[in-house]
Amino acid sequence: MELRHLRCFLAVAEELHFARAAERLHIEQSPLSRTIKELEEDLGEQLFVRTSRSTRLTRAGKLFLEHVPRVFSALQQARDSVKAAANGFHGQLRIALSDGITPSHLSSLLAMCRQEEPEVDIRLFQVPLAQQLKGLQDDLYDVGFAQSDEVGEDIAAEAVWNDPLMVAVPARHHLLKHKRIPLDDLLQFPLVLCDPQACEGHARQVERLLRRSERESLVAERVASFELMMIVVSAGFALGLAGAPHITACRELGVVARPLAGRFPLLTTYLLRREGEVPEVLSRFIERVQAIDLPEGTRPALPPEPDPQEEIEL
């Protein structure tokens, strides 16, 4: 099995069309078909079912597809490591990011790393939670951040940051009569929430909050980013639920952030890593994560009642 076999397989698996895959690879269709046949003979399994009308993956092909992209990821990381060494770096830290972790925390952390250990090359990977967990197990990443501690075996999850979960409300919405919005009142209106596939951990935490009410929530839209969530809120289509720093960072005009009534809900961000011995570079990184001076109100505590004149308007 050679890399050309894997490149051809990946192209056909993603296109599910031999002609388009051949065009993408800049080769003729006949050699592409021969390469796929060679790969199937090597594996002893049929990877595709091909008819005059369609091409689809077999069960074996689907399983193989789960592994092939990681081969190319590992190769790219090997290239990056060589380039980093050539550019004078003496170490590398591969950080996976899921669930749209809080921008202010990440920028503060990276600035501290650059100041204290500039010889370490830092690589960032924005990936879904499931891909992060698999990448940690396969040594594609050294450490990760996500808003879930449901990480399975061999992965350690440590709570590191907490952010107030706020309601993003369109300006002039009559719910703004509340300084703290009751959950049942919130659920009278359509919501825009993060897509669980894009922000799985964040979506789980929000769903746990919504289950506190017997009223069923009406989800008008699920989005892949907090920026799009704020646009939908600003347009008046729905109310959003996000961490306070995310609402502030988006800075959409016409959006007001309000806390929920009752026990103040918090979004927890976890540091994820493989179980076992921690390398020195990673150990120093974890110490910096723990040392970040978070803004007041982001740690697990009940905040005071807001000032009657105070609101966060973007």
Side-chain angles (χ1 to χ4, degrees), residues 138-152:
D138 293 345
D139 196 28
L140 292 179
Y141 314 124
D142 301 299
V143 67
F145 293 97
Q147 291 184 334
S148 176
D149 60 350
E150 299 175 32
V151 294

Side-chain angles (χ1 to χ4, degrees), residues 154 156 273-279:
D154 303 323
R273 62 173 179 82
R274 290 185 302 279
E275 293 276 13
E277 186 177 352
V278 180

Side-chain angles (χ1 to χ4, degrees), residues 257-268:
R258 283 289 172 81
L260 284 160
R263 183 167 180 79
F264 202 81
L266 295 166
L267 286 170
T268 302

